[in-house]
Amino acid sequence: MASSMRSLFSDHGKYVESFRRFLNHSTEHQCMQEFMDKKLPGIIGRIGDTKSEIKILSIGGGAELVAKTSNLENVKFAWHKETSSEYQSRMLEKKELQKWDFIHMIQMLYYVKDIPATLKFFHSLLGTNAKMLIIVVSGSSGWDKLWKKYGSRFPQDDLCQYITSDDLTQMLDNLGLKYECYDLLSTMDISDCFIDGNENGDLLWDFLTETCNFNATAPPDLRAELGKDLQEPEFSAKKEGKVLFNNTLSFIVIEA
């Protein structure tokens, strides 16, 4: 690895901008909204059958998506938002664990150091008939192939782990937890990555590799090999002249 390559997380402004480009060029939010509209009302409805109020714990964000879900007009929500480690520390200090009806963790487990322990802790907070929703990238996505083949060649950063639904379901199996997993196709248009000098493409490269200024600092052989792979069917689909990276998401619903 070239010594000049550094983690994208070392430059907060650059990370935020590359993430914004990702959202603008992907169907991530539309994919989540589809799940919230079609699947979530049934899940929440089953929880709320015997309750006048549903207590929801939102770990790491995503409350807006759930709040906007259609068909939930009759449900009264009690919200609580906090980061995973903040909440865990505070609850363990107080030595009293409040029970929740619905806990959701949307695209945040990559930033947790001990994932099995975190899953076990938050599962212990589920009340009767409660559910926990986790959204992560699918094991069938291009991210899985990208991280397995190239992860060791990108700058290592202890802020972020490469984890997909395959890893997560293995952890849930080991913990003996019951769950259902739904995959929904999402894509990211990475066509600009293959246009030299394209600013948008450069920022998408940074996001894909979690590397600050990847195009300018990566070894030429890594850049060429990755550029070729990203256009292969196991990573992306080609449609109407566009290269669409497979950003498929997994929605894992865990039983109390």
Side-chain angles (χ1 to χ4, degrees), residues 56-65 78-84 86-87 90 100 104:
I56 296 182
L57 178 59
S58 173
I59 302 294
E64 284 302 304
L65 280 166
W79 292 97
H80 185 88
K81 285 179 71 175
E82 210 162 356
T83 68
S84 166
E86 282 170 356
Y87 186 82
R90 204 164 56 76
W100 298 89
H104 64 80

Side-chain angles (χ1 to χ4, degrees), residues 36-247:
M36 302 301 175
D37 288 342
K38 292 182 179 175
K39 293 281 187 187
L40 192 62
I43 294 165
I44 297 275
R46 288 194 293 276
I47 298 170
D49 280 346
T50 56
K51 295 172 182 169
S52 58
E53 178 181 75
I54 292 180
K55 294 186 175 68
I56 296 182
L57 178 59
S58 173
I59 302 294
E64 284 302 304
L65 280 166
V66 176
K68 286 177 185 169
T69 299
S70 57
N71 307 321
L72 296 181
E73 298 86 358
N74 300 324
V75 177
K76 185 183 175 191
F77 294 115
W79 292 97
H80 185 88
K81 285 179 71 175
E82 210 162 356
T83 68
S84 166
S85 53
E86 282 170 356
Y87 186 82
Q88 218 166 331
S89 302
R90 204 164 56 76
M91 286 300 105
L92 292 171
E93 274 172 28
K94 285 171 71 175
K95 294 188 172 60
E96 59 175 81
L97 300 180
Q98 181 181 344
K99 296 291 185 176
W100 298 89
D101 300 309
F102 186 63
I103 298 174
H104 64 80
M105 302 177 172
I106 297 178
Q107 291 286 48
M108 53 70 64
L109 281 176
Y110 317 105
Y111 311 106
V112 169
K113 280 192 165 61
D114 188 339
I115 296 172
T118 299
L119 292 172
K120 192 174 180 181
F121 172 75
F122 283 103
H123 184 264
S124 74
L125 305 184
L126 292 176
T128 309
N129 291 333
K131 303 274 191 289
M132 182 156 69
L133 169 66
I134 296 174
I135 304 178
V136 290
V137 295
S138 169
S140 68
S141 70
W143 293 108
D144 181 69
K145 286 78 179 169
L146 178 68
W147 293 337
K148 280 178 179 166
K149 185 167 183 181
Y150 291 99
S152 62
R153 297 167 72 183
F154 297 151
Q156 299 300 296
D157 193 304
D158 64 0
L159 288 175
C160 187
Q161 295 191 60
Y162 298 140
I163 177 174
T164 71
S165 60
D166 286 355
D167 306 302
L168 201 55
T169 53
Q170 184 64 60
M171 292 174 194
L172 294 171
D173 288 339
N174 292 344
L175 290 167
L177 301 181
K178 285 185 180 177
Y179 61 88
E180 287 183 88
C181 186
Y182 309 87
D183 271 16
L184 288 179
L185 178 64
S186 168
T187 59
M188 169 172 46
D189 184 352
I190 59 170
S191 310
D192 287 349
C193 291
F194 307 102
I195 302 171
D196 285 342
N198 183 289
E199 185 216 4
N200 188 58
D202 287 349
L203 284 162
L204 290 173
W205 270 116
D206 290 358
F207 187 80
L208 281 163
T209 61
E210 292 178 3
T211 303
C212 201
N213 300 319
F214 177 83
N215 253 345
T217 62
D221 59 330
L222 173 60
R223 167 70 176 76
E225 189 183 344
L226 183 52
K228 183 173 179 294
D229 267 350
L230 283 174
Q231 298 183 69
E232 295 296 325
E234 61 264 39
F235 289 87
S236 305
K238 290 187 177 178
K239 190 175 180 183
E240 297 169 359
K242 293 179 177 178
V243 182
L244 303 175
F245 182 75
N246 185 334
N247 184 57

Side-chain angles (χ1 to χ4, degrees), residues 26-46:
S26 76
T27 60
E28 172 118 340
H29 274 174
Q30 295 94 309
C31 176
M32 289 185 187
Q33 198 62 56
E34 183 185 343
F35 179 85
M36 302 301 175
D37 288 342
K38 292 182 179 175
K39 293 281 187 187
L40 192 62
I43 294 165
I44 297 275
R46 288 194 293 276

